[in-house]
Amino acid sequence: MKSNDQNDSSPAPAPSHEERDFLAQYDASGFPHPSVTVDVALVTAHEGVLKALLVKRVEPPHKDAWGLVGGFVGMEESLDEAAARVLEEKAGLKDVFLEQLYTFGAPGRDPRTRVISISYFALVDAKRLSEVGNGARTLAQLSVAWPAETGGPVVALGQDESPLPLAFDHAEILGALVLRLRGKLDYAPIGFELLPESFTLRALQDIHQTIKGETLNKDSFRRRMLASGMIEATGGREESVGHRPAKLYRFARGNTN
Amino acid sequence: MKSNDQNDSSPAPAPSHEERDFLAQYDASGFPHPSVTVDVALVTAHEGVLKALLVKRVEPPHKDAWGLVGGFVGMEESLDEAAARVLEEKAGLKDVFLEQLYTFGAPGRDPRTRVISISYFALVDAKRLSEVGNGARTLAQLSVAWPAETGGPVVALGQDESPLPLAFDHAEILGALVLRLRGKLDYAPIGFELLPESFTLRALQDIHQTIKGETLNKDSFRRRMLASGMIEATGGREESVGHRPAKLYRFARGNTN
DNA sequence: CAAATAGTGTCTGTTAGACACTATCAC
DNA sequence: GTGATAGTGTCTAACAGACACTATTTG
């Protein structure tokens, strides 16, 4: 599927750009141009805190620091496609919720050359974390690690500062991410993206509390969700939980009633 | 201040990039790179509708269509700085509220080459419109025009479609802009940016109604604004209005009470 | 005075928070 | 039964909408 020969006469597409030297770019008239990348924060809610996938950098700059997965934007792909590709190549995840966050382009954010990075965030159910790493091309090289498995290479996003040294301006990206999630939670269906298809009201409330960083009133949350029309009962219930089982709900796409 | 000689040995900075040929960019190894631009929507509320500054394009592509002001991002400036510079050079306005909106980068959005554009929006009081054009370097060339003066070269942003043919994906940018303004209005102080420093509650309500595209309850709006702590009375009042004059207020920065 | 809009006081319906109470599972 | 959480009913406080009424200007 992938050609290692850049001079191959067949129309070999994007992947080769990952291995190129990272130098300032010039056009035919000698005018320099910035490089354009996407950085993707893969986010989940785990044990009551928001967590994002970080990979340990094995080469300078910021060697041994932790960073988001990222890569160059190909000439033939949209920004959304680039973000999805990077997420699949470097984390092994497909078909996840993906949204553009913000574009960072301070002149000094990468010490090698001018790099403009469009940041994205992806939301996944914590149960899909086991997929991370499957088929990821550069996993071994970048030594991906995830909280559930190692307890280490994670940053908990909240009022506290990150406990890990982060590369580039990735701490700023994660800060903007938390604000975006908090701001959108009340009017956009992003909470459901962090849960499996069917879930209990309690689990949904936990997600909301994790994002907001505060406890919510149970009765009010319940009434509000049921009245919103955004969820519908699946008919099923929890099983083997040691107490009265809760009804299961699913996200009712389209109902804005 | 500006050098017309690109081979000048003094460290002549950014402005020359505007006149270059617009061709695909390649680095030393022959790998192509996208161009990076900023597009800025200068927005005001005028006669009950949102309006954005558009300039008529005098060269292909999209010759004779209307577009936002835009320009290349210089290698030494941040994205915010690039947006402010473009706004000053092409609309003659300085010191206005400016915020990044979204980044557009579909492969075909510019027929010449791959262009990734970080869009911004600027908010100004309608009374500052008279400044538009002052000192704008390329104004004559691009034939800037504004609603208040011509009635023509404007797009009214609302539920209706634009009556003007718009260049590139600028219609999409304006659509995203309206959604952003509506979404932020209730929790961010953006309404004040569309008004002079002192204003009446009625004028503020008009701005909110213009952005939301719906009428608001007068009593409730009044109570909400006064209780928010975001505004404070200046002590002054309207004059010569043919009816009871309203108190003047100003935006009380920082009060989130 | 009339015309017009600013601003106040009060009632009502809706919604959020609080809390008591009942329901249903595992053990 | 006990322990634990799900789910319901009801009271209350806060707030938005509605509307009547008063206040203050220009002409």
Side-chain angles (χ1 to χ4, degrees), chain A residues 104-167:
Chain A
F104 294 85
R109 64 182 293 278
D110 189 311
R112 293 166 294 186
T113 183
R114 181 70 186 277
V115 179
I116 288 166
S117 173
I118 299 107
S119 63
Y120 277 77
F121 64 92
L123 303 179
V124 286
D125 168 22
K127 288 173 184 158
R128 287 190 65 185
L129 295 193
S130 60
E131 297 176 36
V132 170
N134 297 345
R137 202 166 57 107
T138 55
L139 270 192
Q141 182 189 351
L142 289 176
S143 71
V144 165
W146 192 277
E149 297 155 9
T150 70
V154 183
V155 58
L157 309 178
Q159 46 273 57
D160 302 347
E161 287 296 278
S162 160
L164 288 180
L166 293 185

Side-chain angles (χ1 to χ4, degrees), chain B residues 140-162:
Chain B
Q141 180 189 351
L142 289 177
S143 71
V144 166
W146 193 276
E149 297 156 11
T150 69
V154 183
V155 57
L157 308 177
Q159 45 272 56
D160 303 345
E161 287 297 278
S162 160

